[in-house]
Amino acid sequence: MSLIPSFFGGRRTNVFDPFSLDLYDPFEGLLTPSGMTNTSKDVAAFTNAKVDWRETPEAHVFKADLPGLKKEEVKVEVEDGNILQISGERSSENEEKSDKWHRVERSSGKFMRRFKLPENAKIDEVKASMENGVLSVMVPKVPERKPEVKSIDISG
């Protein structure tokens, strides 16, 4: 948690915050795989879907803000036994020849976020739900085993 408050309206987006997650990367897009295009700014904007990951005593809980998306447009998968992948696509609006656009700020395109789950995650019991544009994914945890303590009588 940052000690410097954000004056710019968002969590972890303060320019002066050394722990900010929104850092400028001068090498971003230089080593793009040949199958991907890096020409569309709107796709890049939606690529960084904001996700919170919280751990409770019973589960790992992920919440992703996906405004305007339906659950049919979002996919939640577990790959390689311990990688949680959240992906989807937001379609762009159809443009009419007669329309004059003044501003385009809403993003469209594909997004994907991946998270390495810890060893205590119960992969077979993952549940997901979506309500009001917020995707919730619950990954239950294996209960922590307490070490058995056996009391030994002291003779003598």
Side-chain angles (χ1 to χ4, degrees):
M1 177 175 201
S2 172
L3 299 176
I4 303 171
S6 175
F7 297 107
F8 302 108
R11 217 169 54 201
R12 298 184 182 131
T13 58
N14 192 333
V15 174
F16 305 107
D17 185 352
F19 302 107
S20 173
L21 297 178
D22 298 333
L23 299 176
Y24 169 70
D25 183 6
F27 303 107
E28 182 178 353
L30 285 180
L31 300 175
T32 304
S34 61
M36 298 173 60
T37 60
N38 196 26
T39 58
S40 177
K41 291 287 185 186
D42 58 347
V43 173
F46 195 51
T47 302
N48 297 324
K50 303 294 184 191
V51 179
D52 292 339
W53 177 359
R54 153 177 77 109
E55 183 177 356
T56 68
E58 299 82 29
H60 295 276
V61 181
F62 296 83
K63 291 204 181 245
D65 287 340
L66 305 172
L69 288 180
K70 298 178 211 134
K71 67 179 185 176
E72 295 81 20
E73 299 171 315
V74 178
K75 196 171 5 174
V76 178
E77 301 171 309
V78 176
E79 290 185 348
D80 300 327
N82 69 338
I83 305 293
L84 176 69
Q85 179 174 302
I86 301 170
S87 60
E89 183 172 3
R90 176 180 292 154
S91 303
S92 59
E93 290 188 26
N94 296 331
E95 293 185 25
E96 298 289 329
K97 296 282 184 193
S98 61
D99 290 347
K100 178 181 178 185
W101 289 84
H102 293 277
R103 183 176 298 265
V104 178
E105 293 183 343
R106 297 183 319 133
S107 56
S108 62
K110 294 181 180 184
F111 71 94
M112 178 177 33
R113 296 293 308 269
R114 297 171 55 116
F115 303 93
K116 183 175 180 183
L117 296 171
E119 292 180 17
N120 67 351
K122 289 185 181 179
I123 304 303
D124 299 335
E125 299 178 23
V126 176
K127 294 186 174 149
S129 63
M130 188 142 174
E131 187 175 340
N132 296 329
V134 177
L135 174 70
S136 298
V137 180
M138 190 184 85
V139 182
K141 291 172 30 177
V142 176
E144 192 174 305
R145 297 179 76 177
K146 306 266 185 201
E148 271 189 45
V149 176
K150 181 179 177 184
S151 193
I152 309 294
D153 290 333
I154 301 173
S155 62

